[in-house]
């Protein structure tokens, strides 16, 4: 057993867990944050993506103990005050989700894609970057649209702020 | 239509919870004292179980209990069954073998459940499951259906000799044979429809809770039809009577057919909860999903399409072998029969059709309906053959289809279906225009200068949805009726709850159903809640599959709304001292036509509940229920055109354009309908290009048991799609809806394979068209 401490969605958390506990199970079972999902057992689907120290990671392929001391953001912590994050808002406006199961991972991955590429994103880049996230419902058409719309929106918001 | 009414692109009400991580799926549920289950499964495709030794495993840490099939049987839990009776052409009933929820004598596929381990944690359950020692007497296995029929192959169930479950036919053999014999041209093909794994992203899961004090069971489960689950578990599996069993299907992460069926795990977890005295949760991992979720397709077919000298189809003869897997899943017999052969007329006027279908046991996972269910198989047969015939006859594929289109409705086909409406030419023309079909030769020539082979292919599909008129399906062998129910509850403050037997697992019912109410009463969608997925809340329902939620589920809501409206108008007329027939409902008010007298909606609702001043004899309240039983199937149809470039060096196919032109009848929310089409096309492209379930024919081991081995379509495998709608309203239901959930998966595979075979100049190509297969086919052509 290990005692693991980390910051999750801005709050210090600590919990006892089996050494072999994956970060995704720590988040879901120990912290009760069930927005992060498990869709596979081979690190292929991306349903489990969270941000660790500002970068998107598949939380099913990290042990909770490896994440000790880090700063984690899950889908529950992406937005605050009842307002959707621009990426969440773009998914809603563009019907980028159906059953919603891949959605938390898709959104967390997309935020990271936009962080790395900025407003200059094009369709081919979005499609290549989403390779590690599987959606069975949408055919990706509206997810790609959502990411491009969010990138444009966030880019112009940034320009306006500068 | 208004901002929120029928036809408006309203963004979804349900999205916020999914986008913020607040969706509640079965695996998210926890209850006090809950324990975790892991199943011991067969490692062999076919074996007799000699012994099961759990003694070492039971002593491991955290273990509550390990239970097996003998105990389950002793407690009177029944075998799983197929609910649709098919008779062979000799009149004999289908030969169904026993499917025990936990096998204790014979296992028949890799993954067959043998025992349940219940433990404090999932890790402990898993560890102990590995310590359970099962001694097997391994038997030879067979995985391919046509092989399983051959003499000398392993016998999988004693009931089905030569593994043949039924040998069924539809249509007229004599007139079809005569047409083939006198034809000016016959196009003959051998067609394989590859086996697929549905792969909703949420794995199956269930939480069984037994309450000893009340002698009552609650089952959370990933189901497309919780009421059907309750009915079947009560009536056939003997888990508990219906009044003692509550089934809840909360948020469900996609189904595509695979979550229609009742599987062993729901039954066993409920039973195990009673045996152990603790709530028991099981969640499938992805490997278990590949092993045990019902697969789709897996047909081997030969087809003869007979033409007269004028290129009209005069007969169609089809012979199909369908792989059912090791056991007959709930609707497994209907998929390759009444959902398949009845669509073999396609969009064409064909005077004589005969189909023969043999359903066969193999040592593989059960096969049942997967998005489209039978109709993709029929469309693939028809549209591959049509395109091939056009090539053989040397005429344009569009013209051959045009020549044979059905043009007047209703049209009775020789294979049961009566098409009520359609305009096949409209969709064909729309797709030809959108794809700039006429400009293709120039694009092909340009691609050739880059060393690429460009091809174009089309598919004109028709399907039957709105499943289905109860009496009709009853006469064909269905064990259930396929109506839908709805309840509309207007609260005293005028807000509205709609309880529906349909189930949403991605389809957006919370939005589209609310649009219907907003449209009807002029109230805001925010004041409407859609309740579904809980047998304690919704009285009864048949669930969501076969693109039925719009055509059947919403029709039931319309019927209930009719009753609510009639009563509200009576109350309003009474209060405003007007004639009932003069009352109109507009923008959330009840008005006396031609006057300025009006009453807001909420006041009428309130009056219904205060009951101080109601028309004499009227019961208080404003709540109505309705059951809707469709009068016919509905017939969505359309035309898909796909354009590809094949790299002859690598065999890699790039989809450069995909055009869909669909006639779904009237549409409630185009945004949602387009999303359904996108998702369906992606699954169809997945089937045609990437996906296949492979078993090792030597030993029946599943080779494609993870996302490392089974190629799911990813974002960079697919293009964006061009979709459009042509509308002929459906005359058979009040909203004129045909349904849109499966079309994409039905229409797209033949369009894509027709395009690739056009590009490479070789018609011998089976799905999935992997680079290796395409490269071999392209190079064999020279
Ligand atoms: S659950 Fe982490 S990638 Fe699938
Ligand atoms: S929305 Fe269902 S898997 Fe992506």
């Amino acid at each position: 057993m290990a005692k693991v401490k980390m910051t999750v969605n801005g709050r210090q958390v600590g919990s006892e867990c089996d050494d072999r506990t994956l970060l995704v199970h720590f988040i879901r079972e120990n912290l009760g944050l069930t927005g992060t999902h498990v869709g596979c057992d081979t690190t292929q689907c991306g349903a489990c993506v969270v941000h660790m120290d500002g970068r998107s990671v598949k939380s099913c392929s990290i042990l909770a103990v490896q994440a000790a001391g880090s700063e984690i953001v899950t889908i529950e912590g992406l937005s605050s005050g009842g307002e959707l994050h621009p990426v969440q808002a773009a998914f809603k406006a563009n019907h980028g989700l159906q059953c919603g199961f891949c959605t938390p991972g898709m959104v967390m991955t997309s935020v990271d894609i936009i962080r790395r590429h900025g407003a200059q994103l094009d369709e081919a880049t979005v499609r290549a970057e989403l390779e590690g996230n599987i959606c069975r419902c949408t055919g990706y058409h509206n997810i790609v649209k959502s990411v491009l719309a969010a990138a444009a929106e966030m880019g112009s918001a940034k320009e306006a702020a500068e | 239509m208004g901002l929120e009414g029928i036809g408006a692109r309203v963004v979804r009400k349900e999205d916020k919870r999914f986008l913020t991580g607040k969706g509640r799926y079965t695996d998210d549920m926890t209850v006090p004292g809950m324990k975790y289950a892991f199943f011991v499964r067969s490692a062999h495709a076919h074996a007799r179980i000699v012994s099961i030794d759990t003694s070492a495993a039971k002593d491991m840490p955290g273990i509550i209990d390990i239970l097996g099939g003998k105990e389950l049987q002793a407690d009177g839990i029944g075998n799983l069954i197929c609910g649709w009776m098919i008779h062979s052409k000799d009149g004999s009933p289908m030969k169904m073998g026993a499917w025990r929820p936990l096998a204790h004598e014979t296992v028949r596929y890799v993954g067959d459940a043998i025992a349940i381990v219940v433990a404090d944690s999932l890790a402990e359950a898993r560890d102990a499951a590995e310590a359970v020692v099962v001694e097997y007497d391994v038997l030879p296995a067979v995985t391919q259906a046509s092989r399983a029929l051959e003499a000398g192959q392993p016998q999988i169930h004693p009931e089905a000799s030569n593994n043949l479950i039924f040998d069924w036919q539809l249509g007229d053999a004599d007139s079809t044979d005569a047409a083939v014999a006198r034809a000016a041209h016959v196009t003959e093909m051998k067609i394989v429809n590859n086996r697929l794994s549905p792969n909703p992203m949420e794995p199956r899961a269930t939480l069984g809770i037994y309450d000893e004090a009340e002698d009552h069971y609650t089952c959370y489960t990933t189901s497309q039809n919780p009421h059907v689950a309750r009915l079947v578990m009560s009536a056939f599996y003997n888990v508990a009577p219906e009044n003692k069993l509550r089934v809840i299907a909360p948020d469900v992460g996609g189904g595509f057919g695979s979550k229609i069926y009742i599987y062993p795990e729901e039954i066993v977890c409920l039973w195990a909860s009673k045996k152990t005295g603790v709530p028991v949760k099981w969640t499938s991992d992805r490997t278990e999903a590949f092993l045990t979720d019902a697969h789709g397709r897996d047909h081997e077919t030969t087809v003869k399409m007979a033409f007269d000298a004028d290129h009209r189809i005069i007969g169609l003869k089809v012979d199909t072998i369908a792989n059912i897997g090791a056991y007959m899943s709930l609707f497994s017999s209907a998929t390759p029969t009444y959902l398949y052969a009845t669509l073999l007329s396609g969009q064409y006027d064909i005077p004589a059709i005969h189909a023969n279908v043999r359903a066969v046991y193999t040592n593989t996972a059960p096969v049942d309906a997967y998005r489209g269910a039978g109709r993709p198989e029929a469309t693939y047969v028809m549209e591959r053959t049509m395109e091939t015939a056009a090539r053989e006859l040397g005429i344009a594929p569009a013209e051959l289809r045009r020549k044979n289109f059905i043009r007047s409705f209703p049209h009775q086909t020789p294979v049961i279906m009566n098409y009520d409406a359609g305009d096949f030419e409209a969709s064909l023309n729309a797709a030809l225009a959108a794809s700039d079909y006429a400009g293709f030769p120039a694009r092909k020539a340009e691609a050739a200068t880059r060393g690429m082979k460009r091809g174009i292919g089309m598919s004109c599909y028709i399907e039957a949805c709105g499943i289905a008129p109860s009496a009709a399906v009853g006469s064909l062998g269905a064990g259930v009726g396929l109506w839908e129910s709805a309840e509309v509850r207007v609260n005293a403050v005028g807000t509205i709850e709609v309880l529906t037997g349909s189930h949403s697992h991605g389809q957006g019912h919370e939005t589209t159903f609310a649009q219907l109410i907003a449209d009807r009463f002029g109230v805001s969608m925010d004041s409407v809640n859609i309740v579904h997925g809980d047998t304690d809340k919704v009285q009864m329902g048949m669930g969501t599959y076969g693109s039925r939620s719009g055509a059947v589920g919403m029709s039931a809501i319309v019927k209930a709304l009719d009753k609510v409206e009639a009563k509200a108008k009576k109350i309003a007329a009474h209060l405003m001292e007007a004639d009932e027939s003069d009352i109109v409902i507009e923008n959330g008010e009840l008005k006396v036509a031609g006057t300025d007298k009006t009453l807001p909606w909420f006041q009428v609702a309130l009056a219904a509940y205060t009951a101080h001043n109601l028309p004499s004899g009227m019961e208080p309240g404003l709540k109505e229920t309705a059951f809707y039983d469709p009068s016919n199937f509905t017939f969505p149809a359309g035309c898909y055109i796909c354009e590809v470039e094949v790299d002859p060096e690598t065999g890699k196919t790039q989809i450069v354009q995909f055009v869909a032109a669909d006639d779904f009848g009237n549409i409630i929310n185009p945004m949602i309908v387009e999303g359904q089409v996108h998702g369906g096309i992606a699954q169809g492209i997945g089937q045609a290009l990437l996906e296949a379930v492979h078993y090792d024919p030597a030993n029946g081991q599943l080779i494609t048991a993870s996302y490392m081995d089974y190629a799911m379509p990813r974002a960079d495998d697919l293009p964006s799609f061009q979709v459009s709608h042509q509308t002929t309203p459906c005359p058979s239901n009040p909203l004129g809806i045909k349904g849109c959930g499966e079309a994409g998966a039905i229409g797209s595979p033949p369009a894509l394979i027709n395009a690739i075979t056009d590009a490479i100049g070789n018609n011998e190509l089976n799905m999935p068209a992997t680079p290796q297969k395409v490269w071999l086919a392209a190079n064999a052509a020279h």
Side-chain angles (χ1 to χ4, degrees):
Chain A
M1 288 300 257
K3 170 98 179 153
V4 177
K5 285 190 197 163
M6 59 183 87
T7 307
V8 176
N9 300 333
R11 278 189 49 224
Q12 282 280 344
V13 296
S15 181
E16 286 263 319
C17 67
D18 213 346
D19 294 355
R20 59 181 161 179
T21 305
L22 296 170
L23 178 59
V24 66
H25 291 132
F26 185 81
I27 291 170
R28 287 181 57 80
E29 309 281 332
N30 295 56
L31 306 182
L33 294 170
T34 56
T36 303
H37 295 152
V38 180
C40 73
D41 31 33
T42 51
T43 319
Q44 301 278 306
C45 76
C48 62
V49 170
V50 300
H51 293 169
M52 181 164 146
D53 297 327
R55 292 169 45 231
S56 66
V57 295
K58 288 180 169 169
S59 61
C60 71
S61 43
I62 302 173
L63 295 169
V65 290
Q66 290 177 291
S70 68
E71 186 98 36
I72 302 288
V73 178
T74 70
I75 188 71
E76 289 93 342
L78 188 61
S79 56
S80 57
E83 286 277 306
L84 293 179
H85 180 282
V87 172
Q88 292 169 319
F91 269 71
K92 178 166 174 149
N94 292 284
H95 191 29
L97 63 153
Q98 290 181 25
C99 78
F101 196 79
C102 73
T103 308
M106 284 286 178
V107 168
M108 297 310 279
T109 300
S110 301
V111 170
D112 196 52
I113 295 173
I114 295 169
R115 177 183 68 79
R116 287 182 287 107
H117 292 272
Q120 304 323 316
L121 271 178
D122 56 28
E123 175 170 346
T125 307
V126 174
R127 286 185 180 276
E129 289 272 350
L130 285 176
E131 196 270 343
N133 290 70
I134 303 178
C135 173
R136 192 54 149 173
C137 298
T138 63
Y140 307 99
H141 181 111
N142 285 340
I143 291 178
V144 173
K145 233 169 112 182
S146 304
V147 179
L148 291 172
E153 162 82 25
M154 288 165 75
S156 55
K158 203 169 148 199
E159 249 168 51
E162 276 162 8
Chain B
M1 67 183 175
L3 285 178
E4 296 189 330
I6 293 175
R9 288 179 174 270
V10 183
V11 295
R12 300 200 316 173
K13 276 165 71 95
E14 49 270 76
D15 282 354
K16 187 166 181 187
R17 70 173 186 273
F18 296 129
L19 283 163
T20 54
K22 299 291 161 50
R24 295 283 278 154
Y25 300 87
T26 299
D27 186 49
D28 301 340
M29 303 296 166
T30 45
V31 291
M34 185 180 88
K35 304 296 177 189
Y36 297 82
F38 193 81
F39 281 83
V40 177
R41 298 184 182 280
S42 173
H44 298 284
H46 198 191
R48 259 188 297 278
I49 297 176
V50 179
S51 64
I52 303 171
D53 180 2
T54 59
S55 52
K58 273 189 176 165
D59 286 341
M60 290 176 65
I63 299 307
I64 313 280
D65 208 349
I66 301 175
L67 301 164
K70 275 194 188 138
E71 292 148 285
L72 185 95
Q73 214 182 342
D75 281 354
I77 303 293
N79 293 336
L80 286 91
I81 54 145
C82 173
W84 195 304
M85 172 53 73
I86 297 291
H87 286 87
S88 287
K89 53 194 177 197
D90 67 6
S92 64
M94 66 188 189
K95 311 289 190 294
M96 180 161 54
W99 181 4
R100 303 207 192 288
L102 293 174
H104 62 91
E105 296 141 327
T106 306
V107 285
R108 296 183 174 86
Y109 74 104
V110 176
D112 215 346
I114 294 172
I116 182 173
V117 182
V118 181
D120 287 333
S121 76
L122 179 57
E124 287 164 331
R126 221 178 237 278
D127 289 346
E130 273 173 31
V132 172
V133 182
V134 184
E135 196 189 324
Y136 298 99
D137 174 9
V138 178
L139 302 168
V142 61
T143 59
Q144 193 191 347
S146 53
R147 250 198 104 186
L149 286 173
E150 290 168 7
Q153 289 299 319
Q155 177 74 34
I156 298 169
H157 288 276
E159 295 83 357
S161 64
N162 294 320
N163 301 312
L164 180 66
I165 300 168
F166 56 75
D167 182 357
W168 171 91
Q169 65 175 357
L170 184 66
D172 185 5
D174 292 345
S175 63
T176 306
D177 290 341
V180 172
R182 72 165 189 278
H185 178 86
V186 177
T187 293
E188 191 169 348
M189 294 186 80
K190 282 198 187 321
I191 287 179
V192 176
N193 205 291
N194 44 329
R195 177 186 273 245
L196 304 173
S197 175
N199 271 300
M201 290 316 296
E202 180 206 20
R204 286 193 295 118
T206 187
L207 166 56
I209 306 165
Y210 177 67
D211 177 341
E212 197 188 350
E214 301 291 336
D215 187 28
H216 182 274
Y217 295 81
T218 302
C219 172
Y220 285 92
T221 184
T222 49
S223 175
Q224 300 176 214
N225 32 236
H227 290 86
V228 175
R230 182 175 71 155
L231 172 70
V232 172
M233 286 197 282
S234 294
F236 300 105
Y237 305 155
N238 221 5
V239 174
E242 275 183 294
N243 64 321
K244 294 283 185 193
L245 175 58
R246 175 184 186 185
V247 178
I248 302 170
D251 286 330
V252 173
F256 314 114
S258 68
K259 293 174 181 168
I260 297 172
Y261 325 113
I262 320 311
Y263 290 86
E265 291 86 359
E266 295 92 282
I267 302 167
V268 174
C269 284
L270 284 167
W271 167 74
S273 177
K274 180 171 184 177
K275 293 293 268 191
T276 58
V278 293
V280 176
K281 179 157 82 178
W282 168 79
T283 302
S284 169
D285 61 31
R286 186 55 61 185
T287 297
E288 280 181 296
F290 277 110
L291 286 170
T292 66
D293 288 6
H295 291 164
R297 324 282 193 251
D298 204 342
H299 282 194
E300 299 165 69
T301 295
T302 56
V303 52
K304 288 182 193 161
M305 193 180 271
F307 293 87
D308 68 11
D310 191 30
H311 302 154
R312 281 181 204 283
I313 310 172
I314 54 171
L316 181 81
K317 187 136 181 101
V318 174
D319 183 60
T320 294
I321 299 174
N323 194 335
I324 296 291
Y327 300 105
M328 293 193 77
S329 175
L330 195 60
F331 293 116
S332 57
S333 58
T335 304
T337 53
Y338 291 111
L339 294 175
Y340 165 67
T342 53
L343 274 306
L344 285 171
S345 195
Q347 297 189 352
Y348 314 112
D349 189 355
I350 306 178
I353 300 176
H354 180 253
N356 196 99
V357 179
R358 283 169 289 169
V360 181
Y361 277 126
T362 60
N363 295 111
T364 62
V367 179
D368 207 325
Y370 164 57
R371 200 172 196 169
R375 293 152 289 165
E377 294 91 320
T379 301
Y380 192 67
V381 167
M382 291 306 289
E383 293 304 293
R384 282 286 287 131
T385 310
M386 206 63 183
E387 196 92 359
T388 303
R391 289 173 193 167
E392 289 174 356
L393 294 166
I395 70 167
E399 296 325 303
L400 184 62
R401 288 174 169 92
R402 236 187 261 282
K403 174 152 252 162
N404 286 284
F405 275 158
I406 293 161
R407 285 163 197 283
S408 76
F409 299 89
H411 173 88
Q412 178 63 53
T413 73
V415 278
I416 297 180
M417 290 301 176
N418 191 295
Y419 300 166
D420 53 2
D423 183 350
F424 305 142
E425 192 132 26
S427 292
L428 173 63
N429 289 340
L432 289 171
S435 64
D436 183 24
Y437 200 93
F440 173 73
R443 297 195 293 277
K444 186 179 172 78
E446 185 281 325
T449 65
R450 291 181 281 111
M452 302 298 270
K453 292 177 181 286
R454 199 157 171 128
I456 195 163
M458 69 171 59
S459 140
C460 295
Y461 76 89
I462 187 162
E463 54 156 334
C465 294
I467 294 172
S470 299
V473 295
S475 73
L476 302 177
V480 290
L482 290 170
W483 40 263
E484 195 46 85
S485 87
E487 179 178 336
V488 174
R489 296 202 298 228
V490 182
N491 298 315
V493 292
T495 58
I496 298 173
E497 276 132 24
V498 177
L499 294 85
T500 168
S502 301
H503 187 277
S504 188
H505 30 280
Q507 296 88 342
H509 295 170
E510 289 168 50
T511 304
T512 40
F513 290 9
Q515 278 180 262
L516 188 60
I517 319 303
D519 193 84
R520 184 73 172 257
F521 295 145
V523 296
S524 93
M525 276 176 60
D526 278 343
S527 65
V528 182
N529 272 23
I530 308 300
V531 179
H532 69 103
D534 184 341
T535 59
D536 261 15
K537 294 181 180 165
V538 180
Q539 184 210 341
M540 192 54 188
M542 294 311 294
T544 290
Y545 40 82
S547 307
R548 67 193 302 276
S549 297
V552 189
M554 289 181 96
S555 294
I557 298 174
V558 168
K559 272 189 77 179
L561 289 174
D562 289 344
K563 297 183 193 175
V564 167
E565 178 174 327
K567 186 166 180 184
K569 281 181 169 172
K570 275 200 179 82
I571 297 170
H574 177 73
L575 294 174
M576 292 190 282
E577 294 174 346
D579 196 87
E580 204 183 306
S581 61
D582 289 336
I583 306 289
V584 291
I585 303 185
E586 270 173 29
N587 301 323
E589 293 182 327
L590 289 96
K591 301 180 177 167
V592 183
T595 74
D596 57 2
K597 283 200 209 167
T598 108
L599 269 178
W601 170 254
F602 80 88
Q603 267 187 21
V604 177
L606 189 64
Y609 288 94
T610 57
H612 296 162
N613 183 15
L614 290 177
S616 83
M618 180 183 275
E619 286 176 21
L622 194 51
K623 182 204 86 139
E624 300 288 350
T625 61
F627 283 70
Y628 173 78
D629 198 352
S631 59
N632 191 1
F633 290 86
T634 65
F635 298 96
C639 176
Y640 290 1
I641 295 180
C642 178
E643 196 165 324
V644 299
E645 277 188 10
V646 174
D647 184 339
E649 301 292 317
T650 63
K652 172 117 174 99
T653 298
Q654 173 90 29
I655 301 170
V656 288
Q657 176 173 259
F658 200 103
V659 167
D662 296 289
D663 179 355
F664 297 136
N666 292 334
I667 287 172
I668 308 294
N669 185 328
M671 179 193 82
I672 286 177
V673 167
E674 286 161 14
Q676 289 292 311
V677 176
H678 298 154
I681 294 173
Q683 289 182 1
I685 292 176
Q687 165 162 35
L689 225 45
L690 300 160
E691 297 177 43
V693 171
H694 286 294
Y695 283 94
D696 184 334
N699 56 24
Q701 291 295 329
L702 180 62
I703 295 166
T704 48
S706 83
Y707 288 148
M708 308 284 279
D709 309 296
Y710 186 93
M712 290 282 278
R714 317 263 177 150
D716 59 353
D717 294 314
L718 301 171
S720 286
F721 313 113
Q722 287 168 256
V723 302
S724 71
H725 307 301
Q726 298 70 48
T727 302
T728 58
C730 174
S732 308
N733 61 60
L735 292 165
I737 290 177
K738 295 183 182 176
C740 66
E742 297 159 292
I746 293 169
S748 53
L752 183 46
I753 298 299
N754 288 340
I756 300 173
T757 53
D758 178 52
I760 62 176
N762 183 353
N763 206 33
E764 298 292 316
L765 183 68
N766 278 330
M767 300 189 289
T770 57
Q772 186 202 21
K773 277 196 220 162
V774 173
W775 187 90
L776 287 171
N779 287 284
H782 300 296

